[in-house]
């Protein structure tokens, strides 16, 4: 069986014929050099992982035949990443690493000091798909549209706690006393959180401020470190 893993939107099941888009056909037949009868693994974020074979090769399309399920859908723990987007490559990095580390949802939030005013949601979603293809995941987290932090907090379900990475706690002990349940990890932009944002976050009962150790981390490092800490203490790394 080939090591090629491909994400498709199509439903997966025994005997299903999965049509390919032009981009998928290019990747499979021109880049990975698969031909008729060759095997690969498919997932769609809902039906687990399936063994499939190339049934039809075309220049602008083709088809795969789905054979048997090789792994069930493995959902990551119920943690979201909420982060202030940075410059393009660093935002791409955060989304890719969050999908690899295992999150259910990715929420880019605009804060007072956020440098990036818009994001390309479709591009970021494609990075999450590629990360899942590469790391053996069977689930792809949804990347939400950029929304103001204040509005996101306004409509927040208080049952989901927020692990707020608070740069003012730099140097304090990394003491994570996080009860079980749904969580979101929140990291700020390069400029940190504004005084007004800090006051708002500190007053919310579902927000738990945490330190990420003795050094101020770059925002992209902070997102990865915070998710790793959460996964170790509360998630599926335990
Ligand atoms: N400009 C800010 C300052 O000098 O205090 C630093 C912002 S830091 C580059 C970006 C984000 O990473 C912060 O908003 C915070 O969420 C997170 N962060 C970085 N280092 C941290 C630490 N040691 N403890 C908690 N959060 C940290």
């Amino acid at each position: 069986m080939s090591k090629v893993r491909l994400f498709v939107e199509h439903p997966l099941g025994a005997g299903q014929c999965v049509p390919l888009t032009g981009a998928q056909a290019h990747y499979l037949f021109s880049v990975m050099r698969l031909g008729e009868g060759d095997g690969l693994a498919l997932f769609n974020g809902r039906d687990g992982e399936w063994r499939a074979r190339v049934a039809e090769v075309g220049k602008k399309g083709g088809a795969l035949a789905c054979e048997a399920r090789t792994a069930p859908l493995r959902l990551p723990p119920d943690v979201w990443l909420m982060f202030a987007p940075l410059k393009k490559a660093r935002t791409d990095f955060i989304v890719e690493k969050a999908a690899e580390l295992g999150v259910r949802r990715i929420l880019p939030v605009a804060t007072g000091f956020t440098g990036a005013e818009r994001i390309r949601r479709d591009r970021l979603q494609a990075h999450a798909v590629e990360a899942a293809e590469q790391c053996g995941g069977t689930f792809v987290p949804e990347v939400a549209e950029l929304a103001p932090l204040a509005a996101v907090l306004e409509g927040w379900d208080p049952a989901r706690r927020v692990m707020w990475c608070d740069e003012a706690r730099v140097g304090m002990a990394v003491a994570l006393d996080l009860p079980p349940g749904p969580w979101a990890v929140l990291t700020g932009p390069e400029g940190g959180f504004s005084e007004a944002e800090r006051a708002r976050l500190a007053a919310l009962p579902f927000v738990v401020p945490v330190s990420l150790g003795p050094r101020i981390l770059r925002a992209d490092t902070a997102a990865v470190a915070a998710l790793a800490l959460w996964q170790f203490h509360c998630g599926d790394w335990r």
Side-chain angles (χ1 to χ4, degrees):
M1 168 62 73
S2 141
K3 289 276 182 240
V4 177
R5 296 186 84 241
L6 185 71
F7 173 85
V8 293
E9 298 284 354
H10 204 272
L12 299 175
Q16 276 278 2
C17 170
V18 179
L20 293 172
T21 64
Q24 288 167 335
H26 173 75
Y27 170 68
L28 293 183
F29 309 140
S30 304
V31 180
M32 301 311 291
R33 302 253 166 231
L34 295 194
E36 223 169 281
D38 284 343
L40 72 159
L42 296 182
F43 68 105
N44 62 5
R46 306 182 300 277
D47 299 322
E49 182 176 291
W50 286 73
R51 189 177 66 226
R53 295 209 173 271
V54 176
E56 192 189 312
V57 176
K59 279 230 163 61
K60 293 191 177 153
L64 306 173
C66 203
E67 294 181 343
R69 197 174 79 156
T70 48
L73 173 67
R74 290 177 299 263
L75 281 179
D78 194 359
V79 61
W80 298 356
L81 174 66
M82 197 172 10
F83 75 102
L86 312 168
K87 290 205 178 95
K88 199 163 68 83
R90 289 184 184 276
T91 299
D92 293 351
F93 173 88
I94 291 178
V95 168
E96 180 184 289
K97 298 309 157 205
E100 283 176 48
L101 290 162
V103 297
R104 291 263 180 108
R105 230 175 141 220
I106 299 174
L107 283 85
V109 288
T111 64
F113 300 148
T114 300
E117 273 159 23
R118 58 177 74 89
I119 57 160
R120 285 271 314 273
R121 203 204 69 81
D122 54 340
R123 221 184 99 92
L124 294 178
Q125 189 66 65
H127 278 290
V129 165
E130 268 172 41
E133 283 174 342
Q134 183 275 128
C135 75
T138 52
F139 175 81
V140 180
E142 178 216 6
V143 181
E145 284 293 355
L146 180 66
L149 175 64
V152 172
L153 292 175
E154 194 65 47
W156 197 260
D157 171 4
R160 180 177 298 277
R161 292 187 175 84
V162 175
M163 176 175 137
W164 168 32
C165 301
D166 176 9
E167 66 269 14
R169 295 191 168 234
V170 65
M172 293 186 191
V174 184
L176 295 189
D177 184 12
L178 307 177
W183 279 90
V185 164
L186 169 63
T187 56
E190 289 304 343
F193 292 99
S194 70
E195 278 313 313
E197 286 162 350
R198 300 182 46 71
R200 176 89 205 280
L201 285 164
L204 291 170
F206 53 82
V207 172
V208 180
V210 299
S211 162
L212 295 178
R215 287 167 288 276
I216 295 186
L217 307 177
R218 288 192 75 134
D220 45 350
T221 316
V224 172
L227 283 175
L229 270 178
W230 189 92
Q231 284 289 16
F232 181 72
H233 282 271
C234 312
D236 57 12
W237 291 15
R238 280 147 61 91

